Amino acid sequence: MPAVTVENPLTLPRVTAPADAVARPVLAVTTAPSGFEGEGFPVRRAFAGINYRYLDPFIMMDQMGEVEYAPGEPKGTPWHPHRGFETVTYIIDGVFEHQDSHGGGGTITNGDTQWMTAGSGLLHIEAPPEHLVMSGGLFHGLQLWVNLPAKDKMMAPRYQDIRAGSVQLLTSPDGGALLRVIAGELDGHKGPGITHTPITMIHATLAPGAEVTLPWRQDFNGLAYVLAGRGTVGTERRPVHLGQTAVFGAGSSLTVRADEKQDSRTPDLEVVLLGGRPIREPMAHYGPFVMNTREELVQAFEDFRKGRLGTIPAVHGMTEKGPQD
């Protein structure tokens, strides 16, 4: 799991919660069910079964892989629409290509992130490049959906290409945890991702036996999803492992600890930490659209059918009217 790393974390700025911070309790630990997305790549549905009031402003998150593809096996998603939210695609291992009908796009690999604000709507496609399809190889990543408030749902689409080298790197006081701040900020250290809805997104790697207690904004929710390894969450040391999400309650700090022993395939505990300011608005979600009312969902489908969400570039051999039924 390469993402972005450093040989000596002690060269990085160190972060810890203040002594008077109020520890966030762990309200629940859930296990993600497995399934398939797009043309058939394996995913874990990280937020399945969690009440939306604990997720808000996050909508869903899929862990894509970790999977070792044989030649000819890598798969992606076909062209499809979105409206009303942002998609965040974070690639840990492997390569993924993105293109959308608003002109955004690019290739991401090993620690890169693509941040697409769908806003008023667009079409996009995500797929492995042809050379990866031919050769096969390791693929592992995340896709996170972040809601937009009603006032921003019909904003113009936007695309951000966040390279691994621009991610803010931090560590714990003893150097046992490497913290990659992708978006938002941690203890005054800002990540490169520009968000409409205030959030924090961190990929943390904890060495065996390491523990980190981080300051956490009290107006944000708190979630921890385990990408790999085993450990505990909260000061009560609630056990967590690969594919599980911890939901934190109120407070001003959160704690994660790696078990002393990890399996040989996963030397460290890998966790994604998420926090965001709840939007607290009605949400109407169906398929690729996230709006506030059923009527807005109906309008989104109508706009898609009539080609108002954009057209597929001719290079893909499709008609200018959009995807075929």
Side-chain angles (χ1 to χ4, degrees):
M1 187 176 292
V4 58
T5 190
V6 294
E7 288 188 8
N8 182 9
L10 289 173
T11 62
L12 302 173
R14 304 180 197 188
V15 176
T16 190
D20 60 352
V22 177
R24 286 179 174 248
V26 178
L27 301 181
V29 173
T30 63
T31 301
S34 298
F36 293 90
E37 185 57 77
E39 296 174 338
F41 63 85
V43 299
R44 288 186 176 90
R45 307 287 190 190
F47 296 160
I50 300 175
N51 190 301
Y52 180 64
R53 68 190 177 113
Y54 298 118
L55 297 177
D56 185 14
F58 307 109
I59 302 164
M60 58 152 276
M61 185 168 72
D62 284 346
Q63 180 180 8
M64 305 179 293
E66 182 175 3
V67 58
E68 184 74 40
Y69 282 121
E73 285 187 344
K75 296 176 175 64
T77 63
W79 282 94
H80 58 283
H82 285 307
R83 172 181 280 180
F85 64 101
E86 299 184 289
T87 67
V88 181
T89 305
Y90 174 52
I91 297 301
I92 301 166
D93 290 291
V95 186
F96 224 36
E97 291 183 340
H98 164 95
Q99 186 177 4
D100 65 54
S101 57
H102 197 68
T107 300
I108 52 174
T109 185
N110 299 351
D112 296 337
T113 302
Q114 289 176 340
W115 201 295
M116 186 185 77
T117 304
S120 60
L122 44 61
L123 309 177
H124 82 139
I125 187 172
E126 295 166 307
E130 185 62 28
H131 70 82
L132 181 62
V133 175
M134 297 296 292
S135 66
L138 185 61
F139 181 78
H140 190 198
L142 284 177
Q143 185 166 98
L144 171 70
W145 289 14
V146 185
N147 204 3
L148 289 170
K151 66 182 181 64
D152 293 329
K153 282 194 177 292
M154 297 300 286
M155 67 176 291
R158 183 181 65 181
Y159 178 82
Q160 298 176 67
D161 193 1
I162 302 170
R163 293 296 161 181
S166 67
V167 169
Q168 175 69 63
L169 300 180
L170 306 169
T171 191
S172 52
D174 63 0
L178 173 61
L179 309 168
R180 307 167 185 86
V181 184
I182 297 168
E185 69 174 70
L186 182 63
D187 198 28
H189 301 277
K190 294 183 179 181
I194 300 170
T195 71
H196 285 279
T197 302
I199 74 163
T200 295
M201 180 179 182
I202 297 167
H203 174 191
T205 300
L206 282 74
E211 180 176 289
V212 62
T213 297
L214 301 176
W216 211 252
R217 285 180 50 165
Q218 295 191 64
D219 60 335
F220 278 19
N221 60 356
L223 302 162
Y225 176 74
V226 181
L227 289 166
R230 292 182 172 273
T232 63
V233 286
T235 54
E236 61 268 48
R237 293 194 175 185
R238 184 102 171 245
V240 290
H241 58 74
L242 166 65
Q244 291 191 316
T245 300
V247 179
F248 290 90
S252 57
S253 70
L254 56 80
T255 298
V256 179
R257 187 178 191 279
D259 283 356
E260 294 282 353
K261 293 183 179 180
Q262 303 289 334
D263 62 53
S264 58
R265 189 170 177 270
T266 306
D268 302 308
L269 173 65
E270 304 281 352
V271 183
V272 172
L273 304 173
L274 296 169
R277 182 189 298 159
I279 296 173
R280 296 194 176 94
E281 293 178 349
M283 183 180 71
H285 173 203
Y286 190 83
F289 305 125
V290 182
M291 305 304 292
N292 293 102
T293 67
R294 182 181 181 278
E295 291 73 22
E296 290 171 341
L297 283 180
V298 171
Q299 185 62 56
F301 276 100
E302 179 70 8
D303 290 346
F304 170 54
R305 284 194 294 267
K306 293 188 174 180
R308 296 173 185 151
L309 271 61
T311 58
I312 296 172
V315 68
H316 288 270
M318 307 294 284
T319 69
E320 293 184 356
K321 294 181 180 180
Q324 300 298 303
D325 292 337

